[in-house]
Amino acid sequence: EAGVTQSPTHLIKTRGQQATLRCSPISGHTSVYWYQQALGLGLQFLLWYDEGEERNRGNFPPRFSGRQFPNYSSELNVNALELEDSALYLCASSFASGTNTGELFFGEGSRLTVL
Amino acid sequence: AQSVTQLDSQVPVFEEAPVELRCNYSSSVSVYLFWYVQYPNQGLQLLLKYLSGSTLVESINGFEAEFNKSQTSFHLRKPSVHISDTAEYFCAVTPSGGSYIPTFGRGTSLIVHP
């Protein structure tokens, strides 16, 4: 069974540009979570999608946005990139919210570097 | 809202020594508790979880954690560590009803020396 897959593995952008990160959940999972892992800050919750809807977002500015497609894959967009957006972006999936215990299955992440 | 505190950012230890990684949480509701491990350049993997029942939970590679409700703690222990246990360890909590958004601690870097 395939795990959570993320692309690209690495991405280098310059300030002001836009970045798009993609995530495919484990088959049968309908919930997708995005976390930002910046050096020394642990995992900061960005967005939660379930059944195609945005269910919650963390304390990040609106230039962080995303969506979930009918096949439950997801996309994270970061507009007007700033240097401090450099981080590892982790996607995780889980079962539907009604049967969810909060156990997450993570991808290997997309490393975004903003120059 | 929940919060998780991992009391040590880094724990150096010699191979075959015991180790304890500390985790305390704060929550106004019941929670599920998790430990995840992150090896270099990889995503997080579930190490063990407490949902209900016995307060002592074990992983397949020798780690164990005990849920202590009165002290709101979920410390991770291993009686004898290996070099291969060198990794970042994250404690996480999720409310047992309602929002299913896990809150993570800042992580503890376990460094096992030969």
Side-chain angles (χ1 to χ4, degrees):
Chain A
E1 179 184 300
V4 176
T5 58
Q6 292 187 244
S7 64
T9 306
H10 294 89
L11 188 60
I12 300 175
K13 294 285 187 178
T14 57
R15 286 179 60 190
Q17 286 189 311
Q18 180 201 33
T20 298
L21 309 177
R22 297 179 177 84
C23 172
S24 292
I26 290 173
S27 177
H29 287 185
T30 63
S31 275
V32 170
Y33 300 75
W34 287 97
Y35 284 85
Q36 182 193 67
Q37 186 179 18
L39 197 62
L41 296 180
L43 275 73
Q44 305 296 313
F45 168 69
L46 270 164
L47 291 159
W48 172 34
Y49 292 95
D50 184 56
E51 298 282 356
E53 301 282 334
E54 181 180 301
R55 301 296 185 184
N56 212 321
R57 65 179 291 128
N59 188 25
F60 280 83
R63 58 191 185 82
F64 286 84
S65 65
R67 53 180 171 166
Q68 187 177 33
F69 300 99
N71 66 352
Y72 304 116
S73 67
S74 178
E75 195 174 87
L76 174 68
N77 295 294
V78 188
N79 293 318
L81 286 165
E82 300 179 2
L83 296 178
E84 53 265 34
D85 296 333
S86 294
L88 182 68
Y89 289 84
L90 292 166
C91 173
S93 70
S94 71
F95 294 103
S97 58
T99 56
N100 198 335
T101 61
E103 178 180 346
L104 300 184
F105 297 78
F106 283 86
E108 298 207 341
S110 293
R111 170 84 52 194
L112 172 63
T113 302
V114 182
L115 302 175
Chain B
Q2 292 71 234
S3 66
V4 178
T5 302
Q6 291 184 242
L7 297 161
D8 305 294
S9 60
Q10 203 172 82
V11 173
V13 64
F14 286 106
E15 194 173 20
E16 298 184 7
V19 71
E20 178 180 80
L21 307 184
R22 297 179 292 170
C23 172
N24 286 88
Y25 70 92
S26 172
S27 177
S28 57
V29 299
S30 297
V31 295
Y32 299 130
L33 296 147
F34 306 86
W35 276 100
Y36 290 85
V37 58
Q38 184 180 33
Y39 297 105
N41 301 313
Q42 294 187 23
L44 279 70
Q45 305 171 31
L46 181 70
L47 190 59
L48 45 77
K49 61 185 177 184
Y50 171 79
L51 303 182
S52 64
S54 172
T55 57
L56 183 66
V57 290
E58 299 177 352
S59 73
I60 57 173
N61 57 354
F63 283 94
E64 64 178 31
E66 186 160 20
F67 169 50
N68 188 320
K69 188 174 181 179
S70 62
Q71 297 186 6
T72 60
S73 68
F74 192 55
H75 301 332
L76 181 70
R77 301 184 184 94
K78 189 170 185 180
S80 176
V81 295
H82 302 288
I83 295 286
S84 59
D85 293 324
T86 295
E88 192 84 14
Y89 291 80
F90 292 92
C91 181
V93 300
T94 305
S96 60
S99 166
Y100 300 97
I101 302 169
T103 300
F104 286 82
R106 290 199 171 192
T108 297
S109 178
L110 175 63
I111 303 168
V112 182
H113 297 288

